[in-house]
Every structure is written in structure tokens, then in C-alpha cells.
Amino acid sequence: MVREDGKRNFALRDTDGTEDSVFSGSTPRQAALKAARRLESVGESEDAAPRSEIRLREKGTDKVHVYEAWAWESNSPDDKPDWMPAEITQANVAKQGIEHLESR
């Protein structure tokens, strides 16, 4: 379902089907990038980052967006604001497809 500001909500699904976290974005990829930044296993570089599968169910639908996701630590830019930490987590995702949940 689309909110008034044009964003949609996506629930992060565990392997057992539970949904604990919700990420919002105007596209599924935007929500997937937010979820990927919170992965437990983070690499030292993009090439060395371990890959994980994340599944996001679009709220109000039966669509599950499946992504391969990875995250890594990197140094903040030189012109960073004072509040930004010295190391930041960056992420990337690659869409694997869309699945549809079975009706109960």
C-alpha cells in the first residue's frame, strides 16, 4: 500500500516467515538497501563482503521481493559533517526475483 508521501512499507521476512522489521522506500530496492546496511555479517571491502539473501514482503500485497545483499565498512568522506562517525556501513543489493505468498 502506498502512503500519502508515495513511500511503501516492506517487512523483512525471516526464514521461518516471521516479520520483525519494516523498512520504507519508494521502491523495493530502496528498502532493500536500508535492510542490507543492518546485516550482521559485514565485510572489510565490497569484494570481501559476505553475501546474504533478504526477503521483503510488500505490505498489503502477497509479493515477496528477494535480493542478494552485502554490506561493508568504509571510511567516511573527508568533508563529512561533525555528527558522522569515522567509519560507515555501505551496502549493495541485487534483485533475484519476486515470489508470491500462497493464500491461506
Side-chain angles (χ1 to χ4, degrees), residues 7-85:
K7 293 190 178 187
R8 299 182 286 178
N9 291 321
F10 299 89
L12 182 63
R13 292 179 61 89
D14 292 332
T15 53
D16 62 359
T18 60
E19 299 174 352
D20 294 331
S21 302
V22 176
F23 297 92
S24 62
S26 54
T27 64
R29 184 175 191 277
Q30 191 176 43
L33 286 168
K34 290 178 183 181
R37 290 188 59 211
R38 299 206 172 139
L39 289 172
E40 290 181 14
S41 54
V42 177
E44 294 181 10
S45 68
E46 183 173 10
D47 293 334
R51 297 330 199 228
S52 300
E53 182 182 85
I54 59 173
R55 303 166 87 70
L56 295 169
R57 182 182 64 83
E58 188 170 348
K59 293 282 204 157
T61 71
D62 66 347
K63 290 182 188 176
V64 177
H65 301 269
V66 182
Y67 287 90
E68 178 184 29
W70 59 99
W72 66 95
E73 294 284 332
S74 67
N75 293 327
S76 298
D78 293 335
D79 60 347
K80 71 178 181 67
D82 293 336
W83 55 263
M84 186 180 279

Side-chain angles (χ1 to χ4, degrees), residues 82-95:
D82 293 336
W83 55 263
M84 186 180 279
E87 291 226 339
I88 57 173
T89 303
Q90 293 185 311
N92 204 353
V93 295
K95 189 148 192 176

